Amino acid sequence: MKGKFGTPGSYFVLNTGDKIPAIGLGTWQSGGDLCVQAVKTALSVGYRHIDCAHLYGNEIEVGEALAEAFKGSLKREDVFLTSKLYCTMNSLNKIENYVRVSLKNLGVSYLDLYLMHWPDSSAFGDATDPPSKSGSEYRQFLNRLKKAWKAMEGLVELGLVRAIGVSNFSVPQIKQLLKFAKIVPAVNQVELHPFWRQDELVKFCQLKGIHVSAHTPLGVPTSTPGPSDSSSGGEDEPGTPRISFRRSKSVHGPMLKLSTVAEIADRHRKTPEQVL
């Protein structure tokens, strides 16, 4: 690979001037020895962005894999590390402590990117879907958002993180944040895939110089059929497992099983996973 994160096209330039690799390994729902092996394998085949979060409960395992990788030819500056803050009602005074815990777990002295995991400050929910909340709880969070973001900005000043951003923020929520932010978010990481394009959000972020990073780029599979299945507008391809994607309204099955993807993969002599 040429340069810190490869040739142009293999990375994006953030509003901080730093480069973020175009493709990263997400560690959600990964744990134990499998997590360690997945991160080690990813780094060995060329991945240079590892996406973590305290809420995933596996930063120690990721740190174990990083430690092994750093014993070889890789250096800390060769890997772009992202982690996330899950902001609870009583956590606003502890944000510096939380990032230090993540740093200790990962075995590094700084993060390349630290995100507010959800625009939410109520009880814990799922790592991909926010917990339910009342209107009063949400208004309370908006009133406290300024304090939370100020603490995030302080992490940059302390040198604990290189860039800060948000995750799963909507256009109105980003507008609210920009009213008082001294540091414009470098990234908004959101669910983004062909079944959930979020064009308005993407265009707004681009206008504001905020890089949009896609999590769950193949959709969010669920184990049981959801409401979206009944209004998919078509039948699944023969032999395709019936898996729904949350918030999707035109689902025809997992993208890895689509014939179009298979044709593209075959043309390039790759597997469907490699072309996606």
Side-chain angles (χ1 to χ4, degrees):
M1 300 179 77
K2 298 179 180 179
K4 183 177 179 181
F5 291 125
T7 57
S10 65
Y11 61 82
F12 296 98
V13 179
L14 302 178
N15 58 21
T16 61
D18 289 333
K19 298 174 182 177
I20 182 172
I23 299 175
L25 176 73
T27 58
W28 176 52
Q29 292 189 324
S30 180
D33 292 340
L34 288 177
C35 178
V36 176
Q37 189 58 48
V39 175
K40 287 170 56 179
T41 300
L43 292 172
S44 71
V45 299
Y47 279 76
R48 292 296 178 264
H49 181 189
I50 306 298
D51 181 86
C52 313
H54 178 72
L55 186 59
Y56 300 163
N58 58 9
E59 287 186 330
I60 291 177
E61 287 86 349
V62 174
E64 183 180 331
L66 289 172
E68 276 200 50
F70 294 154
K71 289 178 183 177
S73 59
L74 276 184
K75 299 178 181 179
R76 168 64 187 92
E77 57 268 27
D78 295 328
V79 181
F80 191 100
L81 289 178
T82 296
S83 191
K84 308 177 191 74
L85 163 77
Y86 195 93
C87 193
T88 57
M89 292 294 286
N90 62 352
S91 69
L92 294 181
N93 295 322
K94 304 175 183 177
I95 290 176
E96 181 183 333
N97 290 340
Y98 290 158
V99 75
R100 289 187 184 278
V101 169
S102 287
L103 290 174
K104 181 179 179 181
N105 290 340
L106 294 168
V108 296
S109 61
Y110 69 91
L111 292 171
D112 296 278
L113 179 64
Y114 197 52
L115 307 175
M116 292 187 68
H117 204 152
W118 282 103
D120 194 290
S121 63
S122 58
F124 270 65
D126 182 80
T128 299
D129 281 319
S132 59
K133 54 190 177 293
S134 67
S136 62
E137 284 179 321
Y138 185 71
R139 287 191 296 273
Q140 186 178 32
F141 175 75
L142 290 179
N143 292 332
R144 294 156 64 94
L145 180 58
K146 184 174 182 178
K147 185 176 181 180
W149 191 251
K150 183 178 180 181
M152 293 280 286
E153 292 174 330
L155 300 177
V156 178
E157 296 172 3
L158 290 171
L160 298 176
V161 303
R162 297 287 176 86
I164 54 176
V166 295
S167 182
N168 305 298
F169 271 56
S170 66
V171 170
Q173 290 159 350
I174 296 175
K175 286 181 177 179
Q176 183 78 15
L177 178 59
L178 292 178
K179 289 180 181 179
F180 51 76
K182 293 181 180 179
I183 298 178
V184 174
V187 171
N188 183 20
Q189 186 184 105
V190 297
E191 179 182 346
L192 203 64
H193 48 76
F195 300 142
W196 189 250
R197 291 171 37 138
Q198 304 211 63
D199 291 338
E200 179 185 355
L201 176 63
V202 172
K203 291 177 181 178
F204 176 80
C205 288
Q206 291 174 338
L207 181 65
K208 298 298 181 180
I210 301 171
H211 174 70
V212 177
S213 178
H215 71 62
T216 53
L218 302 183
V220 186
T222 58
S223 58
T224 56
S228 61
D229 287 297
S230 61
S231 58
S232 63
E235 296 295 325
D236 287 340
E237 294 190 64
T240 302
R242 191 58 163 166
I243 299 179
S244 67
F245 290 83
R246 297 174 208 170
R247 296 178 292 283
S248 302
K249 296 183 178 179
S250 58
V251 179
H252 300 281
M255 279 184 278
L256 290 174
K257 299 295 184 180
L258 295 179
S259 60
T260 302
V261 174
E263 291 170 4
I264 294 173
D266 185 61
R267 190 160 62 242
H268 292 277
R269 297 182 180 180
K270 303 290 184 181
T271 66
E273 290 82 358
Q274 288 174 318
V275 297
L276 287 175

